[in-house]
Amino acid sequence: MTGAAAHAVEPRGTAASPPPVAAAAAAPAAAGPCEPVRKAGPVTMEHVLLALHETEAEREARIRDMFGFFDTSGRGQLDYAQIEAGLAAMQVPAECKYARELLRACDRDRDGRVGYEDFRRYMDDKELELYRIFQAIDVEHNGCILPEELWDALVKAGIEIDDEELARFVEHVDKDNNGIITFEEWRDFLMLYPNEATIENIYHHWERVFLVDIGEQAAIPEGLSKHVSASKYLIAGGIAGAASRTATAPLDRLKVIMQVQTTRTTVTHAVKDIFIRGGLRGFFRGNGLNVVKVAPESAIRFYAYETLKEYIMKSKGENKSAVGASERLVAGGLAGAVAQTAIYPIDLVKTRLQTFSCESGKVPSLGALSRDIWKHEGPRAFYRGLVPSLLGIVPYAGIDLAVYETLKDASRTYIIKDSEPGPLVQLGCGTVSGALGATCVYPLQVIRTRLQAQRGNSGAAYKGMSDVFWRTLKHEGVSGFYKGILPNLLKVVPAASITYMVYEAMKKNLSLD
């Protein structure tokens, strides 16, 4: 048994009482069809055969049948495409996407093909692993998992689960609907799950399969709707975002300075101007606010997305719980709009701070700058430029998602040949799709920044989004809408790479892998 699995099922001592459904189901289940395996010693395949009521020949035939189910061509070898097609035929939601992991778990010699012997060894190892965790959860050792035992193991693993969710979990695994989980049902549920079978991983797997959680391109981590580790994911994401924004802060400042310039300017001229006025520190002006807004923006987006997703699922009815790509796009876009609106005043103050200019070179404090905006322009000034900002969210997300999926499919065809793209390929696809999405909505960014930077009570102040558009087009031409796009694109690759690397490192440090 793994350390994590063993930890998950230690006696909980004074932990909270189980939900009513677990307590109610425990009594009748205890006298039900549970059949404990009466065999001492370390777990062996003999224990598994006894728990499954199978002979070696029957088990061999079952495994060959399963291999044949995937091997539709009859070649005696499985590749990624066959495994993916087999999982699809078993109605495993596409969002789970663990065909690549399953191929890797079975493919001992790493040649991209899985023969029967490889598949058989995987099945042996997996059934032994699943029996160990099954026995660890079955603390009464009566040969089945009762709802209260499952709840107890989840709580010890740090997973919050309510009465309704526990009932859904048991119902999903319990195929004969008798209120308990036998080892055969447990094995059937997890046999093709390629990752380590800890109670935490098993919960995440159920959550993804049953709730059809969000896909990999969403800005919110998957499988967090009910999990107490959500705060850890937010911490990891917050630190990754802060590191990424700090590392690319000079490019962000350069972009903003160029966006607000109504006269002809170049990158070299803007760099010299920033350095002369503020030295090296000048390139990081406003970065503190940029970092501060990471956590609340992520938290608000996360909560809004989960709320909207739940509403969509309920509106579709109980039998239509799968959230499709278009619905994820709408929910993600609306969640982004809610988060953007909530933190927008911070963004506006950041832009004012970055574009503040005076002869003495002295920069006002955040408090003084905020009070000045409130006093002379009113509270509505904190939301100048919000409309173009919101208008760009859904188109950006749509372009980003469409290009990402197109590039990922192309990589399967031309680069990795029928394998699932790895982290580096996904990072490359995400970088290109993000850059293209940002370029398409960049004119809206320029309009937003100009509205943010200009005092609303000045004589030459823009009257609104359309005024910015026509004045920019008249005096600067189409190129005026793309000022600062070079530093904006230059920061895409390092920003994505740093975010990815720091996020993965934080997940390991916070034991989220």
Side-chain angles (χ1 to χ4, degrees):
M1 187 192 314
T2 65
H7 172 75
V9 294
E10 291 172 358
R12 73 174 185 273
T14 58
S17 300
V21 67
C34 298
E35 297 182 28
V37 175
R38 304 297 183 186
K39 181 174 175 58
V43 173
T44 63
M45 190 54 66
E46 190 174 349
H47 290 85
V48 173
L49 292 172
L50 288 170
L52 295 173
H53 308 290
E54 281 184 329
T55 64
E56 289 187 18
E58 290 171 337
R59 180 174 181 271
E60 178 74 18
R62 171 172 57 82
I63 295 174
R64 283 196 177 277
D65 285 343
M66 181 172 288
F67 183 82
F69 173 80
F70 285 96
D71 184 22
T72 53
S73 64
R75 294 180 300 173
Q77 295 280 331
L78 305 181
D79 57 20
Y80 170 77
Q82 288 174 300
I83 293 175
E84 186 177 46
L87 292 176
M90 296 171 70
Q91 297 184 328
V92 175
E95 285 80 358
C96 292
K97 294 179 180 175
Y98 58 72
R100 177 169 55 88
E101 288 81 0
L102 184 56
L103 175 65
R104 188 186 300 120
C106 297
D107 184 15
R108 299 294 179 95
D109 54 10
R110 297 292 182 264
D111 63 352
R113 298 289 184 271
V114 176
Y116 175 73
E117 289 304 318
D118 287 338
F119 189 75
R120 169 65 186 271
R121 280 195 294 268
Y122 166 81
M123 296 288 280
D124 290 346
D125 294 342
K126 180 58 68 173
E127 288 191 351
L128 286 170
E129 179 188 36
L130 294 178
Y131 186 74
R132 291 188 187 101
I133 186 70
F134 181 88
Q135 285 291 90
I137 297 173
D138 178 22
V139 291
E140 294 188 13
H141 301 297
N142 57 4
C144 60
I145 294 176
L146 308 178
E148 67 172 1
E149 292 174 328
L150 180 59
W151 181 85
D152 186 73
L154 290 166
V155 169
K156 283 301 293 182
I159 298 171
E160 291 179 342
I161 186 169
D162 58 26
D163 188 18
E164 182 181 354
E165 190 178 14
L166 177 64
R168 290 201 303 267
F169 196 155
V170 174
E171 181 183 359
H172 187 79
V173 183
D174 175 26
K175 295 304 181 184
D176 57 9
N177 298 315
N178 63 352
I180 59 175
I181 299 172
T182 64
F183 178 62
E184 183 178 0
E185 292 168 334
W186 183 254
R187 179 212 58 197
D188 290 345
F189 174 55
L190 295 164
M191 190 71 253
L192 296 175
Y193 176 63
N195 299 319
E196 184 183 7
T198 64
I199 189 66
E200 188 172 12
N201 283 348
I202 290 168
Y203 173 79
H204 284 315
H205 174 59
W206 169 77
E207 188 176 39
R208 295 186 73 188
V209 170
F210 181 71
L211 300 180
V212 192
D213 218 324
I214 61 178
E216 61 197 80
Q217 275 303 287
I220 304 159
E222 62 195 22
L224 302 180
S225 57
K226 303 285 184 180
H227 199 280
V228 293
S229 291
S231 59
K232 290 185 178 180
Y233 280 97
L234 289 176
I235 291 171
I239 293 176
S244 171
R245 294 185 186 205
T246 300
T248 59
L251 290 170
D252 186 66
R253 175 93 201 277
L254 183 60
K255 176 198 74 174
V256 171
I257 290 296
M258 294 185 72
Q259 283 179 333
V260 298
Q261 293 296 322
T262 57
T263 57
R264 185 175 179 82
T265 186
T266 62
V267 172
T268 304
H269 181 270
V271 168
K272 289 180 179 178
D273 187 59
I274 293 172
F275 185 76
I276 291 171
R277 293 175 182 272
L280 288 176
R281 291 184 61 184
F283 289 97
F284 292 88
R285 189 195 294 182
N287 184 58
L289 279 177
N290 219 11
V291 169
V292 165
K293 73 176 185 177
V294 171
E297 185 176 14
S298 299
I300 294 167
R301 186 188 296 114
F302 165 73
Y303 180 77
Y305 183 91
E306 290 296 327
T307 303
L308 289 164
K309 188 181 72 172
E310 186 175 350
Y311 174 78
I312 291 172
M313 291 170 65
K314 287 181 178 178
S315 66
K316 292 179 69 176
E318 294 183 357
N319 296 325
K320 297 180 181 179
S321 59
V323 180
S326 61
E327 291 147 333
R328 290 201 307 271
L329 180 61
V330 171
L334 290 174
V338 171
Q340 181 75 0
T341 302
I343 58 90
Y344 195 79
I346 300 176
D347 199 52
L348 182 133
V349 174
K350 182 212 77 168
T351 301
R352 289 285 180 95
L353 192 63
Q354 288 183 320
T355 56
F356 186 87
S357 178
C358 64
E359 295 301 325
S360 64
K362 186 178 180 181
V363 181
S365 66
L366 296 179
L369 188 58
S370 301
R371 285 194 300 270
D372 183 69
I373 295 171
W374 182 282
K375 180 179 178 181
H376 294 101
E377 302 175 60
R380 291 183 61 183
F382 288 99
Y383 287 92
R384 282 175 60 84
L386 177 61
V387 173
S389 182
L390 296 181
L391 287 177
I393 289 176
V394 173
Y396 171 80
I399 294 167
D400 185 21
L401 184 63
V403 174
Y404 177 87
E405 292 298 333
T406 301
L407 291 174
K408 199 166 71 167
D409 290 342
S411 72
R412 289 196 190 104
T413 304
Y414 300 107
I415 301 175
I416 50 182
K417 306 296 183 184
D418 295 328
S419 297
E420 184 70 9
L424 290 178
V425 174
Q426 290 183 26
L427 180 61
C429 294
T431 298
V432 174
S433 64
L436 186 58
T439 301
C440 291
V441 300
Y442 193 78
L444 288 170
Q445 278 194 43
V446 172
I447 293 172
R448 178 200 65 185
T449 303
R450 292 188 174 190
L451 284 169
Q452 285 180 330
Q454 196 173 56
R455 294 175 64 96
N457 58 355
S458 64
Y462 294 113
K463 297 176 182 178
M465 185 173 72
S466 61
D467 188 33
V468 179
F469 176 82
W470 291 114
R471 285 165 66 174
T472 301
L473 185 63
K474 180 180 179 181
H475 299 291
E476 304 168 59
V478 175
S479 62
F481 294 104
Y482 289 91
K483 284 185 175 178
I485 194 169
L486 179 59
N488 188 60
L489 293 177
L490 287 175
K491 76 174 187 175
V492 169
V493 174
S497 303
I498 293 167
T499 299
Y500 176 80
M501 290 187 292
V502 175
Y503 183 68
E504 291 301 315
M506 288 305 303
K507 277 170 58 179
K508 290 180 181 179
N509 290 333
L510 295 172
S511 302
L512 291 173
D513 273 345

